[in-house]
Amino acid sequence: MYRINIIDARGTLHELEGADGQNIMAVAVDHDVPGIVGECGGDMSCGTCHVHIEDTWQQAAGQPDADETDMLEVVDNLQPNSRLCCQIRMSSSLDGITLKVAGTE
Amino acid sequence: MASTSEVEERADVVIVGAGHAGVQLVSALAKKQFAGSVVMIEAEEGYPYERPPLSKGYFSGEQQLGDILFRSPDYWGNSPARLMTGETVIRVNADEHLVETATGRKLRYESLIWAAGGNARSLPLPGADLAGVYYIRTLADADALKLRAEKSARAVIIGGGYIGLESAAALRKAGLAVTIFEAADRLLARVTSGPVSEFFRKLHVERGVEFRFGQSVAAIIGEGAHGVTGVRLASDEILPADLVIIGVGLLPNVDVLAAAGCATGNGIVVDEVHRTSLPDIYAIGDCASFASAGGYHRLESVPNATEHAQILAGVLMGEQPRQRAVPWFWSDQYDVKLKTVGLLSGHDAVVVRGNPDSGAFSVAYLRDGRLIALDAINATADFAQARLLIESGAPVDYERLVNPTIKLKDCTTPRVAA
């Protein structure tokens, strides 16, 4: 299990654990983290798992592909460190990743 | 000893149905730190699961049960919401604020949320109850179907809607011969336009699916333990088949509430905040015929169920009702992703953006010069931008719309300064 730190819009830190290969959105909704809905179940079709990756983790998390970039173009609060977290799967290189919820509900 | 009529549980919120609407409501309330007690009653056994994968990844075997559960078992263990599975609600007493289940349990509610979805519409065909004939609504359906498909060579699908088409894609991947019967003269006739119908017809034909348009199955033939061996058409032609899938729509679950005196039409009739005609009873998801923009809609989709749940959660928390989001939908068939946003009824113009033969294009539906809906086939940017354009109601420039190299969001008509 790997550690995931998610800070919600109120500043509350949620310290979670995800299994190898598990996407971050799935972990977040399993803990009712406010602001992450995951409406489409991880199909990258809804934009409701929008997060900002903390600077030190940006490289490890990687860049969005073309489709994710298209979806991100229309979310509120788009920043260079924006990702849809259903597209980030946990691995040892992401152990301890910290990110902030970007969306509101 | 207390008589059964005195033995009752109570909860502030009782949710009937642990499908997409019910589960999202539980989550939304938890995120808002709802202080009341919540009980969710579900007829099926087992942990709540997502339905779209039943005709996609779960059907094809790419996903296992663990992949399609809404939440982990730990979630339900930790949740203050209580999950009651294997219990079917058979009666609602609106005056007494009581629900009763088939096993005789009674619960008293402050607020009752009917999120009971519906059942696959059955076809009164001779032979429809033979072994090897399936609807796809539940996990049990999908499991039985998968087992049968492993031993089958030929499948017949009755109904060329999304369920039928997605199942066809999964069955073709598994190597079965597939024939689809569609009563109309094109696919998805009620929900999309000619160009999109034609795209999907070609897509499936290229993958080896046979279509029979305007023809119908008169009887399913077979017998005994083996069940289905074929279908007989009105013309008396017989098509051999080892497996039949019927996908002809959903019957919303209305009987129990109707018996309780609730207004029903095409589903449970609700207002803008999902209140039914009975006090303290709400309805959300596939079963709800909801008021919107001067009319009523009943939409069978996951985004619709989620949206209803979000709206109702706000209502139950006493918040200002949020504005309804534009409806949207998705379907995955082979390597094609269809995403649709808005509702096209009432459109007066159709604009195709891009070339369908390229495998990536979109179709825009306009009314009075404004975008009201869009079908995007492998066209994520158009899909994403269409939602904003539909919400804003901005007039669009036809000449630019027709040019797929111009971004959709740049197709609005420049406003003339006063």
Side-chain angles (χ1 to χ4, degrees), chain B residues 154-157 160 164-173 176-181 187 200-213 333-334:
Chain B
R154 306 192 49 99
V156 159
I157 298 178
L165 294 178
E166 288 177 359
S167 307
L171 288 171
R172 281 304 296 141
K173 266 196 199 173
L176 279 77
V178 176
T179 302
I180 298 182
F181 284 84
L187 297 170
F200 281 106
R201 187 195 68 80
K202 276 194 192 153
L203 173 71
H204 282 269
V205 163
E206 272 160 25
R207 308 293 172 116
V209 172
E210 182 199 5
F211 284 103
R212 303 290 191 103
F213 288 102
Q333 300 165 40
Y334 308 106

Side-chain angles (χ1 to χ4, degrees), chain A residues 10 12 22 25-26 28-48 66-76 104-105, chain B residues 20 24 26-28 30-33 50 70-75 79 302-304 306-307 310 322 328 330 332 337 339 379-381 383-385 387-388 407 409:
Chain A
R10 283 189 211 169
T12 306
Q22 194 176 15
M25 178 279 290
V29 299
D30 215 49
H31 292 84
D32 283 331
V33 172
I36 308 255
V37 179
E39 181 175 56
C40 69
D43 199 60
M44 205 177 55
S45 304
C46 67
T48 64
D67 282 338
E68 187 184 336
T69 303
D70 283 337
M71 287 300 299
L72 281 169
E73 231 187 276
V74 298
V75 297
D76 289 331
T104 50
E105 256 179 282
Chain B
H20 289 263
Q24 288 294 355
V26 167
S27 267
K31 285 171 184 172
K32 292 175 190 290
Q33 297 176 316
E50 299 179 28
F70 278 110
R71 305 284 184 267
S72 66
D74 277 351
Y75 176 90
S79 171
V302 163
N304 179 68
T306 304
E307 179 64 9
Q310 304 283 19
R322 67 183 238 168
W328 68 277
W330 85 92
D332 297 333
K337 290 189 173 297
K339 298 193 204 307
T380 309
F383 165 73
Q385 293 166 33
R387 289 173 82 170
L388 297 182
K407 286 188 174 187
K409 60 182 180 179

Side-chain angles (χ1 to χ4, degrees), chain B residues 47-370:
Chain B
Y47 290 106
Y49 59 90
E50 299 179 28
R51 286 196 205 281
L54 297 183
S55 57
K56 305 180 193 67
Y58 185 78
F59 190 152
S60 67
E62 280 150 17
Q63 289 177 295
Q64 311 301 315
L65 180 57
D67 300 316
I68 72 168
L69 295 182
F70 278 110
R71 305 284 184 267
S72 66
D74 277 351
Y75 176 90
W76 298 110
N78 293 332
S79 171
R82 200 149 56 87
L83 180 60
M84 278 171 52
T85 53
E87 292 277 6
T88 303
V89 171
I90 56 168
R91 192 158 26 247
V92 169
N93 183 326
D95 290 335
E96 299 289 316
H97 280 49
L98 273 178
V99 298
E100 189 181 329
T101 73
T103 63
R105 290 174 86 161
K106 290 187 171 134
L107 287 94
R108 196 176 291 276
Y109 60 84
E110 290 267 325
S111 303
L112 176 66
I113 320 299
W114 197 256
N119 300 100
R121 196 155 71 82
S122 57
L123 272 188
L125 282 179
D129 51 1
L130 283 167
V133 180
Y134 305 97
Y135 299 91
I136 308 184
R137 178 71 181 170
T138 67
L139 190 61
D141 292 337
D143 283 339
L145 180 46
K146 281 167 61 168
L147 266 180
R148 181 92 180 189
E150 276 163 28
K151 298 173 260 176
S152 298
R154 306 192 49 99
V156 159
I157 298 178
I158 302 176
Y162 290 114
I163 295 287
L165 294 178
E166 288 177 359
S167 307
L171 288 171
R172 281 304 296 141
K173 266 196 199 173
L176 279 77
V178 176
T179 302
I180 298 182
F181 284 84
E182 168 51 56
D185 61 2
R186 63 182 173 97
L187 297 170
L188 305 169
R190 278 174 303 149
V191 295
T192 197
S193 55
V196 177
S197 298
E198 178 57 12
F199 173 83
F200 281 106
R201 187 195 68 80
K202 276 194 192 153
L203 173 71
H204 282 269
V205 163
E206 272 160 25
R207 308 293 172 116
V209 172
E210 182 199 5
F211 284 103
R212 303 290 191 103
F213 288 102
Q215 296 178 33
S216 38
V217 169
I220 301 174
I221 53 187
E223 61 179 3
H226 176 79
V228 173
T229 54
V231 297
R232 178 165 50 78
L233 313 193
S235 62
D236 275 345
E237 179 190 352
I238 293 184
L239 228 70
D242 312 294
L243 184 161
V244 174
I245 295 175
I246 300 176
V248 295
L250 185 84
L251 273 184
N253 189 328
V254 304
D255 292 350
V256 169
L257 279 192
C262 190
T264 62
N266 169 28
I268 313 281
V269 178
V270 297
D271 66 11
E272 276 87 1
V273 289
H274 291 277
R275 285 181 298 212
T276 70
S277 62
L278 294 173
D280 300 319
I281 301 184
Y282 303 80
I284 53 176
D286 283 1
C287 69
S289 175
F290 62 94
S292 175
Y296 284 85
H297 297 290
R298 192 176 66 75
L299 304 177
E300 295 165 9
S301 79
V302 163
N304 179 68
T306 304
E307 179 64 9
H308 289 188
Q310 304 283 19
I311 291 175
L312 185 57
V315 169
L316 293 172
M317 293 292 295
E319 294 167 5
Q320 275 285 78
R322 67 183 238 168
Q323 205 196 1
R324 231 179 246 294
V326 178
W328 68 277
F329 180 78
W330 85 92
S331 175
D332 297 333
Q333 300 165 40
Y334 308 106
D335 55 357
V336 171
K337 290 189 173 297
L338 164 75
K339 298 193 204 307
T340 236
V341 56
L343 299 173
L344 55 68
S345 82
H347 69 273
D348 55 33
V350 175
V351 177
V352 177
R353 283 170 54 80
N355 179 5
D357 290 332
S358 74
F361 70 106
S362 66
V363 180
Y365 304 92
L366 310 182
R367 182 173 62 216
D368 297 333
R370 290 160 167 73

Side-chain angles (χ1 to χ4, degrees), chain A residues 19-102:
Chain A
D20 190 65
Q22 194 176 15
N23 77 71
I24 291 179
M25 178 279 290
V27 178
V29 299
D30 215 49
H31 292 84
D32 283 331
V33 172
I36 308 255
V37 179
E39 181 175 56
C40 69
D43 199 60
M44 205 177 55
S45 304
C46 67
T48 64
C49 65
H50 178 205
V51 298
H52 294 146
I53 309 286
E54 207 178 85
D55 290 344
T56 49
W57 287 99
Q58 270 212 272
Q59 187 155 21
Q63 291 302 301
D65 69 12
D67 282 338
E68 187 184 336
T69 303
D70 283 337
M71 287 300 299
L72 281 169
E73 231 187 276
V74 298
V75 297
D76 289 331
N77 218 356
L78 179 66
Q79 286 175 186
N81 59 345
S82 280
R83 291 294 309 273
L84 296 179
C85 66
C86 67
Q87 299 303 299
I88 304 175
R89 296 194 175 275
M90 289 311 292
S91 66
S92 55
S93 60
L94 296 179
D95 186 13
I97 187 171
T98 301
L99 43 102
K100 284 192 173 155
V101 173

